Amino acid sequence: MSGMYLRLGLFLCMLSMCRSLASPSSFASRRSILRVVNDNAKSGGDHPDYALELNATNFDAVLKDSPATYAVVEFFANWCPACRNYKPHYEKVARLFNGPDAVHPGIILMTRVDCASKINTKLCDKFSVGHYPMLFWGTPSKFVGGGWEPKQQVKNNIRVIDDARTADRLLNWINKQLGSSFGLDDQKFQNELLSSNVSDPGQIARAIYDVEEATSIAFDIIFEHKMIKAETRASLIKFLQLLAAHHPSRRCRKGTAEFLVSFDDLYPTDFWATGKHDKSSVKNLKICGKDVPRGYWMFCRGSKNETRGFSCGLWVLLHSLSVRIEDGESQFTFNAICDFVHNFFICEECRQHFYDMCSSVSSPFKKARDFALWLWSSHNKVNVRLMKEEVSLDTADPKFPKIIWPPKQLCSSCHLGLDQKNNKIEWNQDEVFKFLTEYYSTTLASLYKDSNVVLKDGTEAVEDLIVATNAIVVPVGAALAIAVASCAFGALACYWRSQQKSRKYFHHLHSLKNI
């Protein structure tokens, strides 16, 4: 659009003493969507803003990190009367998808950019904004570093929403794109539109965000309930080592690694003897980034508020770990997971049942395949137990009842038949392992691309900084195996190197010389 009109708009805005709609808090490059909405709601008024206001400094970062499948970006000017009149319509739709009370979270990120703000002039020009308001539709990644020109609409997969003058018309346009039937009167947790087909392999790709959510909640519980004690310190360190190397989310690997490197300072071996328990820094520790937890579930969302959620996310995390390890790490992973659940999972009955299953294992695991199948079999035992209880107590989620996994329609080759005598499924375990590897590794990460640091010679930087702390309580060889097993660990290692204190670095060198 013409720069003349932008300057005219800014001039009119100054004359009328209009203030920018962008709040100072929105200028942080990676603010949580939920947090921004909460801040706006607290600022006063009966109609909080649900659409997330972006600007040139955080536009790419927010859209890059968004877990939403699609995004709507509204370009407007704060001096434009039509824009002011349109805002209530846009907010009616935004409340369905944005914020902690979203009716359909994780599907569409609703945003706006104020073109009357000088900081956004180049951004608005990149998208050829020719009138106000102007709305665009696309996947969040397509907006990152991108732009739009009328002749390139098909090429860059960003579309202009051409029929959105009212809330009804905007939502109808969205419904046509998604084949959905969202309504402006939809209420939270009344999920008639939520697909109950959890066996759809396409849905597991969205579970990466639930794995981040479950990981963050687990550590929030640990910190809140002060569960790190002298007797649980060692088991937590082992689990942190496992997550730092094999968590499917890069930012969770980064966060757990930072915690691991700082563990000696936060929880020295004499911590409980001294009685100095100032853990203000731990309260602010965000294992999977400051935007997580987000406050909602995607793949693991139940049709009722109290079903699925955290336990589902935790199981997906454990399965994803089981298919990412190498053979030499199988027993270490088994011990780390069993000890973590036993010491830090606060559901007493669940914790005891899991501990009993761990205790029944008589010989060490030598193959990663064997551990993955044991975890799969254990999960099915849990489902069988819960199925009986939910039926008797009528507490099952009607849209997500417990089932034996995987169902035949999802992996027919996994099922050999039914043992009529014992009424049990006969499994082809080779096919089951193949399915688990594909489902919880390749498919899980299909919508979540890690960016690894590559050295100048083309090789990935794989470091052993996992052992750069006195906190290590396992053999160095085991810790090194974890680090080397994950090629994606290279980017994280480079980050550690730049962040570590020099004394820890030299201590690490000294410890390696003594191996």
Side-chain angles (χ1 to χ4, degrees), residues 107-126:
I107 300 173
I108 304 171
L109 175 64
M110 304 285 291
T111 69
R112 56 165 58 96
V113 174
D114 185 2
C115 292
S117 179
K118 189 174 182 179
I119 194 175
N120 297 326
T121 299
K122 291 183 178 179
L123 178 60
C124 296
D125 285 343
K126 286 175 64 177

Side-chain angles (χ1 to χ4, degrees), residues 183-423:
L184 293 176
D185 295 329
D186 289 352
Q187 298 298 315
K188 189 177 182 181
F189 298 122
Q190 303 301 314
N191 289 338
E192 291 83 359
L193 304 173
L194 184 66
S195 172
S196 61
N197 185 17
V198 74
S199 62
D200 178 2
Q203 292 191 36
I204 189 65
R206 296 161 63 86
I208 186 67
Y209 301 104
D210 289 350
V211 171
E212 292 179 335
E213 191 84 359
T215 303
S216 297
I217 291 175
F219 279 94
D220 283 349
I221 292 172
I222 290 172
F223 299 146
E224 181 181 349
H225 291 270
K226 299 178 180 179
M227 301 175 74
I228 306 176
K229 303 175 182 178
E231 61 271 22
T232 62
R233 184 180 189 272
S235 63
L236 182 60
I237 291 167
K238 287 190 292 185
F239 194 66
L240 285 170
Q241 291 173 328
L242 180 62
L243 296 185
H246 294 303
H247 198 290
S249 163
R250 177 176 55 83
R251 52 184 163 189
C252 293
R253 291 198 299 274
K254 175 177 176 287
T256 51
E258 288 175 336
F259 185 29
L260 186 60
V261 168
S262 303
F263 203 92
D264 285 337
D265 291 336
L266 294 171
Y267 295 97
T269 53
D270 62 347
F271 171 77
W272 295 270
T274 60
K276 297 179 180 179
H277 296 176
D278 180 16
K279 289 277 103 35
S280 56
S281 58
V282 173
K283 291 180 180 179
N284 298 323
L285 183 63
K286 296 295 184 181
I287 292 295
C288 294
K290 60 184 178 181
D291 294 348
V292 186
R294 303 176 183 88
Y296 60 82
W297 303 96
M298 296 175 69
F299 173 83
C300 286
R301 190 183 188 196
S303 62
K304 298 179 180 179
N305 191 15
E306 66 273 10
T307 60
R308 305 187 79 215
F310 178 57
S311 59
C312 166
L314 201 58
W315 271 115
V316 176
L317 169 62
L318 298 185
H319 285 300
S320 68
L321 293 172
S322 74
V323 297
R324 282 172 165 78
I325 61 172
E326 301 294 334
D327 287 344
E329 307 167 80
S330 54
Q331 185 61 29
F332 173 87
T333 304
F334 168 75
N335 291 334
I337 289 177
C338 287
D339 289 347
F340 180 80
V341 174
H342 181 61
N343 289 312
F344 299 105
F345 195 68
I346 59 177
C347 173
E348 181 61 32
E349 183 178 356
C350 305
R351 176 170 57 182
Q352 188 58 49
H353 277 289
F354 197 86
Y355 179 74
D356 291 342
M357 290 189 295
C358 290
S359 300
S360 67
V361 177
S362 56
S363 57
F365 290 101
K366 296 181 180 180
K367 297 287 185 181
R369 172 187 181 276
D370 295 338
F371 171 68
L373 289 173
W374 174 84
L375 186 66
W376 157 76
S377 176
S378 298
H379 194 174
N380 273 336
K381 290 179 181 178
V382 170
N383 281 349
V384 169
R385 176 176 60 85
L386 293 178
M387 270 192 284
K388 296 177 181 178
E389 293 181 3
E390 289 178 349
V391 169
S392 63
L393 299 173
D394 193 26
T395 56
D397 188 323
K399 295 199 173 185
F400 298 96
K402 295 290 186 298
I403 61 174
I404 303 301
W405 191 262
K408 193 170 184 179
Q409 63 267 33
L410 186 59
C411 182
S412 59
S413 60
C414 295
H415 293 245
L416 292 175
L418 181 66
D419 183 348
Q420 299 289 347
K421 183 178 180 181
N422 298 311
N423 195 30

Side-chain angles (χ1 to χ4, degrees), residues 72-73 134-137 159-164 170 173-174:
V72 175
V73 180
M134 191 171 184
L135 277 63
F136 291 90
W137 166 274
R159 300 179 56 190
V160 173
I161 301 178
D162 53 8
D163 187 13
L170 173 58
W173 192 95
I174 291 173

